[in-house]
Amino acid sequence: MADSSSTYQAGGSGDQPKKSIIPGFGRFKVALSTVLTMEIIMQLAYIFEYPNCLIDGLRKADTTTSCALLMVSGMEERGQIAPHDISQLLDSLKEIGNPGTASTVQELFLKHTDIPIEEEGAHSQGVIRERGHSEAENEATVDRDHDEPSQKTVGAPASSMSTMSPTSSSLMPIAPELMGHLMNSMTPPGVNIAGSNNVVNISCHVQSTGSVQLATSSSQLDPVPSPGPVPTPDHVPPPNQESDVPDTMSTFIQELKETGKALYDKIQPIPYIKDELDSVDKVFIEVGLERRVGKDSWKKLGSYHDIFPKEKGNPRIQIIEGDPGYGKSTLALQMVYDWCNEVSGSPFSGPDILICLNLRQLKGITSIAQAIKQCSLPFDSKLKLLDVEQLISKSNIWVIFDAYDEYPDQHNKVNFVMQMLKGKIGQHVNILLTTRSSCIPPALGARTGRIRLTGFDNAAQERYIRKVVTGDDEVVKKVLKHLNINPTLGVLCRAPLFSVMYAHLTHKGSMLHEISSVTGFFGHMISCFLSHTQNKLSGADESPENLQTHADTHAALDKLAFEALTSKMQQLVWDRTFFVGELGEVFYKLYVDVGILVEEKETHIPAPGKVPQHKTVVRFYHKLFGEWYAAYHLIECVKSRSYILPENINLYDLKFLFMFACGLDQPGGSQVIKLLGERKDGAESVVLCAPQLKEWSHDIQTTVRRIVSSGIDIYISDSRLLQQSTIQLLELASQHKIPISEVVLFHSFSSVDPDSLPLVLHSGLCLPPLSTLQELVIFTEPGREVTVDEWTGILNYAKRCQLLKKLMFYWCLLPWMDSFPASLDNVEVVWAPWFCEYYSLRSGRWQNEDSGEILTRGAYDDLVTKFRERCSDTPWQERRRAERE
């Protein structure tokens, strides 16, 4: 069958270089448009890095067919498809997870052009198969005519007319509004289908199978105007066209500040206290911040003002990570406050534009401009999407992406957030992204900064109580006293969320200070919320007894929360109508009044000219509340001994869910720990969960024995909660006479308490002597010099560990001692100031393990000099030199 690109006739004037024309390529392009869905088109547009204005034009196409034809034309213009090669398109389809579509496209290309594509799809020319005699003749025609004038008119041999006539029974006409674009897309470069009187009558029909036939006949017609470029849907103006909104930048900034104020002016420290909303600056207290300066090294920051370093060449993308409740979102709102109010001295008041986008709300949104338009501007804003694109393209803009761990599209490989993080789009934008430590975006570049939140220390807790709760010195001392004497409270309240709730509830008379577990703390806190709301509503239509029944009967909510959190794509927001239908109106209203559930208004901005859509959605006050109720359902699930945890569950991300389950029900908790212990990635979860149980059954002891027999590591980067749980597990294991094969401290050792002899960690937590510990390994910070008091304290600690067989030190300089305690004769002591050089303590002297030589005082002094030279660039040695100066 002949194709529109197979032969040409001359017309006009000028010289045109010869171009190789592939018969059937036009038919392939039309066939390609039939297999491209909207989802595939949008993904390809981001992979190919199309400009936002073009992506917007694709998105607003009236039909999928129109969008697909525009996309095909765009790919040809940009070289993603060519008559000889479509391998770039095939590779991109595979990259976005559509190998089936890639295979279909490859078959269509072979069918219509008879050109096979190399399997690996190199981006060079494809391999052209030898073609038949008639096609060679057609190319010869092109060869003979290559010196003819450039303006050519599509023609066809008369002999081809009979084979090209469509039959009405098998063909369907193409819609007239698509004909102009279709012909433009099927006409080779340099060919004008209406440039002379020698034109071609073309009837184009789509077969019911999806392929295309063209019927042509030559005739003398009057000249007709060129159809010109294909208009984009909705008549989108070019990027350089002036907006019809006067002073768009000032309008943009004003509307952003209005929306920002609505965000930071509604801080609610306690869920049920809705009549005492505060501005973020009234409750904000700086949390501890550290910057990552090496693989396992972190440097303390003085303030959140230091997140973006002032030095040139520093990363423009900063990841702010922290455990649940550590104040990531509150910090983001404080930054918004600084910008909106132009706070003096704050670097966040400096950029032209600062925008905070909650990623939980960006499901299905495909560009930063669309996100801003839909979530950061009033729904009645006069600014159009194109205005937003233009404004952010020429501005000093900072964007805060809040709660990446709650982003619904994070598993979509081509989501626009990941494209920005990888620097494929929006290279001029400074980005702050907040997320849980368990959900760091993958494959980030080396130029991405990492900041972590370390929570409230004692001073920050006191500042918050005085600033927000009460200025009464006696009350402040009383509240802080219990944090210092209750280790569980002390660890929990490092998280600002828990610290704030503890302070407010204790001030109101709650007995939270008597709690000894995470589950007990959270359960008592929710009971306080429900009790307060029931007292408040006691005069309403519902009696207190009915309210209590609704509060205690929450199986439907438990199931919803569990299924949402454990699914591959976590769901954290629901449509209000659906939620009420599942839970019942009375139950739903009670939990909204309590504040455990929160309603939000959601606005969807459709294409221009369409009416905005509004709906009410509902979410938990905090994801931790969802984990609390999901824990109840997990307990019900594990009652069936055949229940297996879904493989896709991120155990660390949902650690509170499992901790709550173990604390809520002893038999169910035992089964949960057994299931966790059977997973390869379950050891850390067992460490967190086992201390929540009041009693250890035989099965639990077996699981713990298996874990501690392979060694326990405590890293400086571990959260205080994980370190505290690890210490509790080790203590309980010793109490149950379970041998602990090894404890390794990676940079986490700080000092030794000279009175009670525990090892003090950098977090402030203490590791007491463990009676069943067999081996202790201490990796200090590289370059550290251990003092005589520290060395003596460690040796005394070792004496208290009755079963200790080996004590090892790495990356440090130990002090010279003339003698060692005789009680260490049965303990093997090994010291490695750096790798490949080891010393063993034998008969009170250090002996080189390789040479067997005894380390004399003179040799030790030489080793000190060598150690300081080799470790001169370590932070510890730099501090030592600074102190001496």
Side-chain angles (χ1 to χ4, degrees):
M1 183 171 63
D3 185 87
S4 63
S5 59
S6 61
T7 61
Y8 298 89
Q9 292 181 355
S13 61
D15 294 331
Q16 173 72 26
K18 186 186 82 169
K19 294 187 178 182
S20 179
I21 305 302
I22 302 300
F25 186 60
R27 292 194 301 273
F28 162 72
K29 289 189 289 182
V30 177
L32 173 61
S33 70
T34 66
V35 299
L36 295 180
T37 65
M38 284 297 297
E39 181 181 2
I40 291 176
I41 291 169
M42 290 297 105
Q43 291 175 333
L44 288 174
Y46 283 110
I47 284 287
F48 294 148
E49 301 181 22
Y50 284 6
N52 287 336
C53 58
L54 180 55
I55 293 174
D56 187 46
L58 292 168
R59 190 185 305 114
K60 293 187 293 186
D62 292 332
T63 64
T64 301
T65 304
S66 300
C67 183
L69 288 170
L70 285 169
M71 185 65 185
V72 171
S73 179
M75 287 191 291
E76 184 179 18
E77 290 175 4
R78 289 162 175 78
Q80 280 106 25
I81 59 173
H84 293 87
D85 185 24
I86 60 166
S87 55
Q88 186 176 354
L89 171 61
L90 297 179
D91 291 347
S92 299
L93 287 170
K94 294 172 184 176
E95 183 178 347
I96 64 175
N98 282 277
T101 303
S103 177
T104 300
V105 171
Q106 186 169 351
E107 291 174 3
L108 288 173
F109 187 69
L110 178 62
K111 173 183 176 182
H112 291 291
T113 67
D114 203 28
I115 299 175
I117 299 296
E118 293 177 352
E119 194 62 31
E120 293 302 317
H123 294 303
S124 58
Q125 289 191 347
V127 179
I128 302 180
R129 183 183 303 169
E130 184 178 352
R131 284 170 284 164
H133 175 71
S134 61
E135 296 182 43
E137 286 181 349
N138 288 335
E139 286 202 1
T141 303
V142 177
D143 291 338
R144 289 193 300 269
D145 293 343
H146 77 273
D147 291 327
E148 296 295 331
S150 60
Q151 293 296 320
K152 301 184 179 181
T153 305
V154 179
S159 60
S160 67
M161 289 297 297
S162 60
T163 61
M164 295 173 65
S165 298
T167 54
S168 58
S169 60
S170 62
L171 303 177
M172 301 178 292
I174 288 181
E177 62 269 20
L178 300 182
M179 180 63 75
H181 176 67
L182 176 62
M183 294 315 304
N184 278 344
S185 69
M186 297 179 66
T187 304
V191 179
N192 185 354
I193 65 172
S196 73
N197 291 354
N198 267 331
V199 296
V200 179
N201 291 330
I202 303 176
S203 60
C204 182
H205 292 72
V206 181
Q207 292 185 352
S208 57
T209 58
S211 62
V212 173
Q213 288 188 355
L214 297 175
T216 66
S217 62
S218 180
S219 63
Q220 295 289 329
L221 297 176
D222 293 331
V224 294
S226 172
V230 181
T232 55
D234 295 330
H235 307 288
V236 177
N240 59 354
Q241 179 174 319
E242 294 296 329
S243 170
D244 58 358
V245 180
D247 199 6
T248 53
M249 179 57 80
S250 62
T251 301
F252 188 41
I253 291 175
Q254 180 183 350
E255 292 185 349
L256 287 174
K257 288 187 175 181
E258 290 173 358
T259 306
K261 188 175 188 299
L263 291 174
Y264 70 68
D265 251 0
K266 297 180 179 179
I267 301 299
Q268 191 177 344
I270 302 296
Y272 62 77
I273 304 179
K274 301 180 181 181
D275 52 353
E276 299 179 13
L277 301 180
D278 287 309
S279 173
V280 67
D281 66 305
K282 303 298 183 185
V283 301
F284 178 74
I285 298 293
E286 289 232 31
V287 297
L289 292 167
E290 294 179 341
R291 182 190 307 284
R292 188 172 182 176
V293 294
K295 184 177 180 181
D296 296 310
S297 300
W298 298 80
K299 180 180 179 181
K300 187 175 181 180
L301 299 182
S303 166
Y304 73 98
H305 290 176
D306 301 327
I307 287 176
F308 276 114
K310 297 180 177 64
E311 299 83 3
K312 290 184 178 180
N314 282 293
R316 65 174 181 85
I317 300 174
Q318 299 286 347
I319 306 298
I320 301 179
E321 62 185 89
D323 275 352
Y326 266 62
K328 299 180 290 294
S329 295
T330 304
L331 176 59
L333 291 179
Q334 180 63 37
M335 296 171 183
V336 174
Y337 175 88
D338 289 359
W339 181 73
C340 291
N341 295 276
E342 301 179 15
V343 175
S344 176
S346 172
F348 296 96
S349 63
D352 298 335
I353 298 169
L354 186 142
I355 297 165
C356 182
L357 294 167
N358 192 309
L359 290 175
R360 183 181 63 244
Q361 301 172 343
L362 302 191
K363 182 177 182 180
I365 291 179
T366 56
S367 74
I368 180 64
Q370 184 188 5
I372 294 170
K373 172 67 175 170
Q374 182 160 320
C375 301
S376 295
L377 297 179
F379 75 89
D380 58 350
S381 172
K382 294 181 180 179
L383 293 173
K384 300 175 183 177
L385 187 61
L386 180 62
D387 297 323
V388 177
E389 291 175 345
Q390 292 175 342
L391 290 168
I392 64 177
S393 68
K394 58 186 179 182
S395 305
N396 174 19
I397 177 172
W398 292 15
V399 175
I400 303 170
F401 289 124
D402 187 30
Y404 179 80
D405 53 289
E406 299 181 12
Y407 182 32
D409 292 344
Q410 63 178 269
H411 299 292
N412 182 346
K413 294 181 180 179
V414 291
N415 68 74
F416 82 93
V417 175
M418 185 54 65
Q419 296 296 304
M420 292 184 70
L421 291 175
K422 290 183 177 180
K424 293 186 176 181
I425 57 176
Q427 293 89 345
H428 68 292
V429 180
N430 280 350
I431 298 174
L432 280 164
L433 181 141
T434 73
T435 185
R436 286 190 178 192
S437 301
S438 59
C439 190
I440 304 298
L444 295 176
R447 298 287 299 164
T448 301
R450 293 274 294 275
I451 306 290
R452 70 177 180 185
L453 277 62
T454 58
F456 276 178
D457 57 14
N458 291 340
Q461 290 166 344
E462 181 174 351
R463 286 198 302 272
Y464 179 85
I465 296 171
R466 292 186 181 279
K467 180 177 181 178
V468 183
V469 182
T470 178
D472 188 313
D473 288 343
E474 290 302 318
V475 176
V476 172
K477 290 179 182 178
K478 178 182 177 182
V479 173
L480 291 174
K481 174 184 176 182
H482 299 294
L483 292 178
N484 295 324
I485 63 176
N486 186 327
T488 300
L489 274 181
V491 170
L492 273 179
C493 291
R494 291 283 293 211
L497 175 70
F498 291 128
S499 183
V500 166
M501 293 189 178
Y502 166 78
H504 283 277
L505 294 175
T506 301
H507 178 55
K508 293 180 181 294
S510 170
M511 302 299 289
L512 275 171
H513 60 270
E514 298 181 356
I515 303 303
S516 59
S517 70
V518 174
T519 308
F521 181 95
F522 211 87
H524 188 79
M525 184 176 67
I526 287 185
S527 296
C528 290
F529 296 168
L530 290 167
S531 175
H532 180 276
T533 304
Q534 288 165 2
N535 293 336
K536 185 177 178 181
L537 299 176
S538 59
D541 295 337
E542 286 285 330
S543 66
E545 291 77 13
N546 287 338
L547 290 174
Q548 185 63 48
T549 299
H550 289 301
D552 293 340
T553 309
H554 43 74
L557 180 63
D558 303 342
K559 183 178 180 182
L560 273 176
F562 182 80
E563 292 177 347
L565 290 172
T566 58
S567 63
K568 184 177 181 180
M569 302 286 287
Q570 285 190 358
Q571 182 177 0
L572 300 169
V573 178
W574 295 266
D575 181 80
R576 182 191 186 280
T577 304
F578 166 79
F579 222 69
V580 172
E582 293 292 313
L583 305 180
E585 185 70 44
V586 176
F587 179 96
Y588 176 83
K589 187 176 184 305
L590 172 64
Y591 274 69
V592 170
D593 287 336
V594 171
I596 292 173
L597 297 178
V598 177
E599 291 184 341
E600 291 179 341
K601 298 294 183 183
E602 189 175 274
T603 301
H604 175 66
I605 308 295
K610 304 290 180 65
V611 179
Q613 300 172 352
H614 312 281
K615 67 176 181 178
T616 302
V617 295
V618 61
R619 62 174 177 84
F620 284 102
Y621 173 82
H622 192 282
K623 190 175 176 180
L624 285 173
F625 287 82
E627 294 184 54
W628 172 262
Y629 287 99
Y632 282 95
H633 187 72
L634 176 60
I635 292 169
E636 293 301 313
C637 290
V638 298
K639 287 180 179 178
S640 168
R641 294 288 175 169
S642 60
Y643 178 78
I644 300 176
L645 290 172
E647 285 295 324
N648 63 281
I649 289 182
N650 183 331
L651 299 183
Y652 188 73
D653 180 50
L654 298 177
K655 58 179 176 285
F656 281 97
L657 189 161
F658 298 106
M659 293 170 70
F660 291 152
C662 292
L664 286 170
D665 184 83
Q666 180 76 27
S670 298
Q671 184 63 17
V672 168
I673 289 180
K674 181 180 178 182
L675 292 173
L676 293 172
E678 292 171 352
R679 287 182 52 140
K680 293 180 180 179
D681 58 345
E684 187 172 292
S685 296
V686 172
V687 170
L688 288 164
C689 292
Q692 300 297 311
L693 294 173
K694 295 179 180 178
E695 297 179 2
W696 280 12
S697 64
H698 176 73
D699 287 343
I700 297 301
Q701 292 187 43
T702 300
T703 300
V704 171
R705 186 184 301 272
R706 184 170 65 251
I707 290 174
V708 300
S709 66
S710 58
I712 295 292
D713 301 333
I714 302 178
Y715 291 85
I716 190 173
S717 57
D718 290 343
S719 67
R720 280 176 60 92
L721 178 62
L722 178 56
Q723 289 187 357
Q724 174 70 15
S725 298
T726 302
I727 292 169
Q728 289 178 324
L729 180 80
L730 292 171
E731 288 185 280
L732 290 168
S734 288
Q735 292 172 14
H736 286 83
K737 308 301 181 184
I738 298 174
I740 303 168
S741 65
E742 178 185 63
V743 170
V744 182
L745 305 181
F746 283 100
H747 299 180
S748 53
F749 168 76
S750 175
S751 60
V752 183
D753 189 315
D755 298 324
S756 55
L757 292 182
L759 300 182
V760 182
L761 308 183
H762 279 296
S763 62
L765 299 175
C766 296
L767 178 67
L770 303 169
S771 60
T772 60
L773 177 61
Q774 298 174 342
E775 185 172 323
L776 175 63
V777 182
I778 300 177
F779 285 84
T780 69
E781 312 97 296
R784 176 167 178 168
E785 298 186 16
V786 178
T787 66
V788 173
D789 289 342
E790 290 170 342
W791 180 219
T792 302
I794 293 171
L795 296 178
N796 288 332
Y797 174 90
K799 287 193 297 182
R800 299 278 298 276
C801 301
Q802 294 93 328
L803 299 183
L804 190 69
K805 299 177 181 177
K806 193 170 187 178
L807 179 61
M808 302 183 70
F809 299 88
Y810 287 93
W811 303 344
C812 62
L813 181 66
L814 295 180
W816 176 263
M817 293 186 70
D818 293 321
S819 61
F820 292 89
S823 58
L824 287 176
D825 290 345
N826 296 325
V827 177
E828 180 184 359
V829 183
V830 178
W831 168 37
W834 48 78
F835 283 120
C836 303
E837 186 160 349
Y838 295 86
Y839 296 91
S840 295
L841 190 63
R842 303 183 189 281
S843 302
R845 291 289 181 269
W846 290 113
Q847 182 179 356
N848 189 298
E849 289 196 346
D850 290 332
S851 65
E853 295 179 357
I854 299 297
L855 186 67
T856 64
R857 182 57 192 257
Y860 173 81
D861 292 339
D862 292 339
L863 187 149
V864 170
T865 302
K866 184 178 179 182
F867 178 86
R868 289 174 177 170
E869 289 175 352
R870 295 188 62 166
C871 301
S872 61
D873 60 345
T874 62
W876 203 97
Q877 286 293 327
E878 289 177 353
R879 290 195 300 270
R880 171 184 167 275
R881 289 195 299 272
E883 290 171 359
R884 287 178 176 270
E885 294 173 357

